[in-house]
Amino acid sequence: MRLNYSTASPYVRKVMACAIARGIDGRLEKLTTNPHQSPPELLGVNPLSKVPALLLDDGAALYDSPVICEYLDGLGDAPPLFPPPGPARWAALRQQALGDGIMDASVPRRREMGFPPDEGRAAFIARQRETVARVVDALEKEAGTFGELGTVGEIAVGCALGYLDFRFAAEPWRPGRDRLAAWFARVSELPPLARTVPVG
């Protein structure tokens, strides 16, 4: 399997963290890809020109990260990251949505911060920052129930918080969120996050 890959992408990190948790990361051939340049080797797999994109051995392509993570969860012998239907599954999927939501707000916000400021851009950046603050507050309320990266939801949240540290270190998210900060410090030492620290 070939994974179109970027060391800075939190979505790619989520996929790699899931692969490590499943014990199958060695089965992924990583192809470093800049999606902003829309290279042919990416467009041939994903017409959206986004990473991650996974090319399977049979030539089929999968994207984006929720789809790839669920596919990987069917490989290997590790306990599943996607619980069976029921309350635990809905909790994991909801947590994945919150983690992905932090990424969805933060990635374009960082890009916009690189352009000359204007009123519309400032309003967009402020809205995304407020979204992240609300989500992190919501995660603090349930952080006491989080485990050791045993679900796709916990992995997504860990990758999202790591992205905030990576790209927005000047805006610390930990003050007033002691339980979430303690959980993140603990799970950051586990292989799925420790081996996927973003670079770039």
Side-chain angles (χ1 to χ4, degrees):
M1 297 180 288
R2 190 190 77 194
L3 182 71
N4 288 92
Y5 177 91
S6 166
T7 57
S9 166
Y11 305 100
V12 170
R13 186 183 190 187
K14 184 175 72 162
V15 166
M16 288 304 304
C18 286
I20 291 168
R22 298 289 304 160
I24 59 169
D25 52 301
R27 295 169 61 176
L28 296 176
E29 173 194 354
K30 295 182 287 187
L31 178 63
T32 300
T33 306
N34 184 343
H36 303 295
Q37 296 177 350
S38 298
E41 62 270 19
L42 176 60
L43 295 181
V45 178
N46 183 357
L48 297 170
S49 193
K50 290 182 174 183
V51 295
L54 183 67
L55 182 65
L56 304 182
D57 293 337
D58 65 3
L62 297 177
Y63 42 83
D64 49 4
S65 67
V67 177
I68 297 173
C69 289
E70 189 161 4
Y71 175 80
L72 296 178
D73 204 42
L75 306 178
D77 300 320
L81 298 169
F82 286 76
R89 182 178 182 86
W90 306 131
L93 295 181
R94 180 179 53 77
Q95 289 164 2
Q96 179 180 218
L98 289 173
D100 286 357
I102 290 175
M103 301 177 204
D104 293 344
S106 300
V107 171
R109 178 187 163 210
R110 179 181 179 274
R111 186 169 55 246
E112 288 298 313
M113 290 170 66
F115 294 107
D118 58 37
E119 185 176 341
R121 183 163 288 125
F124 174 83
I125 289 171
R127 183 172 183 270
Q128 304 313 310
R129 184 171 56 242
E130 291 163 5
T131 296
V132 169
R134 287 195 306 270
V135 174
V136 177
D137 284 341
L139 292 169
E140 167 67 13
K141 292 177 182 178
E142 60 184 278
T145 69
F146 291 172
E148 307 296 300
L149 302 179
T151 71
V152 67
E154 293 169 1
I155 286 175
V157 169
C159 291
L161 296 176
Y163 188 76
L164 295 180
D165 284 348
F166 177 49
R167 293 302 195 196
F168 299 98
E171 300 175 14
W173 57 265
R174 290 169 178 79
R177 293 142 179 164
D178 294 345
R179 286 176 297 182
L180 187 62
W183 173 80
F184 182 65
R186 186 171 72 251
V187 299
S188 291
E189 302 299 319
L190 300 178
L193 295 187
R195 291 172 51 195
T196 58
V197 175
V199 177

